[in-house]
Amino acid sequence: MCGIIGCVGRGDATLDTLLGGLANLEYRGYDSAGVALANESVTVEKKAGELDALREAVAGQTLHGSVGIGHTRWSTHGPPTDANAHPHQDCTGDVAVVHNGIIENYQSLRDELAEAGHTFASDTDTEVVPHLIEDALADGADPEDAVRQALSRIEGSYAVAVVVAGVDAVFAAREDSPLVLGVSDGAYYLASDVPAFREHTDRVVYLEDGEFARIDADGFSVSSIDGTPHDVTIDTVDWDPEDTGKSGYDHFMLKEIHEQPRALRQCLQGRVDELGASVSLDLDVDIARVQFVACGTSYHAALYGAGLFRAAGIPAQAFYAHEYALDTPPIEDDLVVGVSQSGETADTLSALREARRRGARTLAVTNVVGSTMSRECDDTLYIRSGPEIGVAASKTFSAQLAALNLLALQTVGAGDEDLREVIAALRDLPGDVQAILDSTTAEEVAEEYVDSDGFFFIGRGANYPVALEGALKLKEISYEHAEGFAAGELKHGTLALVTADTPVFAVVTGNDEAARKTIGNVKEVEARDAPVVAVTDGKSDVARYADHVLEIPETHPRTAAVLANIQLQLVAYHVANALGRSIDKPRNLAKSVTVE
């Protein structure tokens, strides 16, 4: 969740490079920020709150250092205060550390260090690290070895970056938390995510779990924690730094909603042959049964994907990854598919590792090349959305649905559906999404209901995950109560909450039995004076029972769910915007959830 940036070789631009990197990582979610610059001494400045508070704190100061590290913290151990912000230092002030993750044995280490005379200034688990390094230095270890010794005593997850007074280098290591190096002529970088330094270089090295890196002005080296050298590959990032700008939109989320036609084209490009009625993915997997594991928005995509496989006659289930890892069902010869935008979701990684431990073949469905999931799984299907900066997923969810369609079509076919019709609908998706963006009345709907007591979302079949996602999106960015559920569950409890001040968003596509039953549920809430917003393709008569209609183009039932989701994303955005919420950085939330 937290953000890390480090650099060497930037000279007088070191501080600006750190602050710029932290600004590029704000989308990850944070509640404090800090920097440390090192030369013959280490200077630290850190502040609770937004990055602007840190900028004000360093303005007018003379902070020099040929190397530096920076951090944006999302609180776990201790509240967001200046003292708990990173970087953390040892008693001498010669060591500074930033850290993402959870040190599980920190309390026993802290007790041991305190008994030995160390003084702690924060509530964090991280602070034990600089004190462990301090002890190793006092025992005669050189700085690099002191960092290695400290890391060897840590249990848990971490991405760590360290600077030491008098050493023109940054030391870093990772275990269950992402860390990537940036390589350019005369300067080197490290970060928790590529956008932190993408404006400076497109050449990257993705560190693996258990790897240790040193960057200095002469280059970089990668090894195991015990010092065994590792050979690494330098990859090239294929997206432009301008892709992470707002491009004139008020918010990243709105920009990314409007980028969905392009994201879908990228997802489908080169993978669909309409003339040959075939799908071609760089995958060769046999599927008898499939288990999906995911969290949050990606879990909703997994529910949708599981439905596609069941429709083709393949047993399929979607599990919350955090529950799956605790109580793993029988796997036998199932394919276990992890769905995660970042490819770093800690709960999903744990579930996949448990599945692999039990002998399952694993597949990652992710957006991030070089992510931990993509490296650890047997196969990877990239959704190819491009970078997504807004914390609340938008274009990546749509691309996940498209990618899971492709996966189902290649591996198990279309079931009773006409394959050519499905492929034609997928081909038309980008244009259909653009038609919605050009004609939507979602803003008017949002203005009508912005002051409601609560919001309910209902759908059946493929529209059920869309209802869940619509509710999640609204609550994420507006902080208003919203609940999504299978339409048939309305009468089993939730109907008690329905009033004239609780609009119900009903996703009704097609005119089959599911649509007719959902219309029955719409009549139930209408009879209780609840306003109804129908999201529909017009094939049924749901509009006659609705107070407002959000239209989608006619399409195949599989892709209708994707289009309905676009309208609900826009409703969520406009409600949050009308309420003046922090849309790109919702409170308490983070883009990449790297703790369990």
Side-chain angles (χ1 to χ4, degrees), residues 174 178-180 194 204-208 235 342-344 366-376 380 382:
R174 68 157 286 176
L179 203 59
V180 58
V194 173
V204 301
V205 175
Y206 296 100
L207 294 183
E208 303 278 358
D235 295 314
S342 66
E344 304 290 351
T366 184
N367 192 39
V368 181
V369 176
S371 60
T372 302
M373 270 177 53
S374 69
R375 296 196 305 275
E376 292 190 3
T380 299
Y382 290 111

Side-chain angles (χ1 to χ4, degrees), residues 42-65:
V42 174
T43 304
V44 170
E45 188 63 65
K46 53 185 184 175
K47 288 291 181 183
E50 300 272 321
L51 186 57
D52 285 345
L54 177 63
R55 291 186 185 278
E56 291 178 10
V58 300
Q61 293 191 42
T62 304
L63 297 180
H64 292 302

Side-chain angles (χ1 to χ4, degrees), residues 5-192:
I5 178 68
C7 66
V8 300
R10 295 289 295 168
D12 292 339
T14 299
L15 177 59
D16 288 340
T17 301
L18 296 177
L19 293 174
L22 294 180
N24 293 337
L25 292 173
E26 284 189 291
Y27 68 91
R28 294 175 68 93
Y30 72 103
D31 47 41
S32 60
V35 293
L37 281 78
N39 43 35
E40 293 307 311
S41 61
V42 174
T43 304
V44 170
E45 188 63 65
K46 53 185 184 175
K47 288 291 181 183
E50 300 272 321
L51 186 57
D52 285 345
L54 177 63
R55 291 186 185 278
E56 291 178 10
V58 300
Q61 293 191 42
T62 304
L63 297 180
H64 292 302
S66 56
V67 300
I69 53 176
H71 192 266
T72 50
R73 175 181 185 250
W74 191 87
S75 296
T76 54
H77 295 71
T81 63
D82 290 356
N84 287 332
H86 295 217
H88 291 288
Q89 292 180 276
D90 66 326
C91 295
T92 69
D94 288 337
V95 178
V97 175
V98 295
H99 161 236
N100 292 350
I102 300 289
I103 298 174
E104 295 174 357
N105 62 334
Y106 88 97
Q107 191 61 61
S108 61
L109 291 173
R110 184 176 177 126
D111 292 344
E112 173 190 324
L113 290 162
E115 187 174 344
H118 290 267
T119 301
F120 288 83
S122 78
D123 304 313
T124 68
D125 55 335
T126 303
E127 198 181 354
V128 299
V129 181
H131 291 285
L132 290 171
I133 296 171
E134 177 188 0
D135 272 0
L137 290 170
D139 289 340
D142 64 63
E144 180 171 331
D145 191 47
V147 177
R148 293 182 189 274
Q149 288 183 35
L151 294 175
S152 70
R153 299 200 59 195
I154 291 173
E155 298 172 6
S157 62
Y158 60 79
V160 171
V162 182
V163 291
V164 180
V167 182
D168 292 329
V170 178
F171 307 108
R174 68 157 286 176
E175 184 67 42
D176 291 337
S177 193
L179 203 59
V180 58
L181 304 184
V183 180
S184 67
D185 294 335
Y188 299 87
Y189 308 85
L190 65 89
S192 47

Side-chain angles (χ1 to χ4, degrees), residues 561-579:
V562 183
L563 300 179
N565 173 67
I566 306 298
Q567 291 282 24
L568 297 183
Q569 288 177 351
L570 288 163
V571 169
Y573 172 82
H574 288 298
V575 168
N577 196 42
L579 292 170

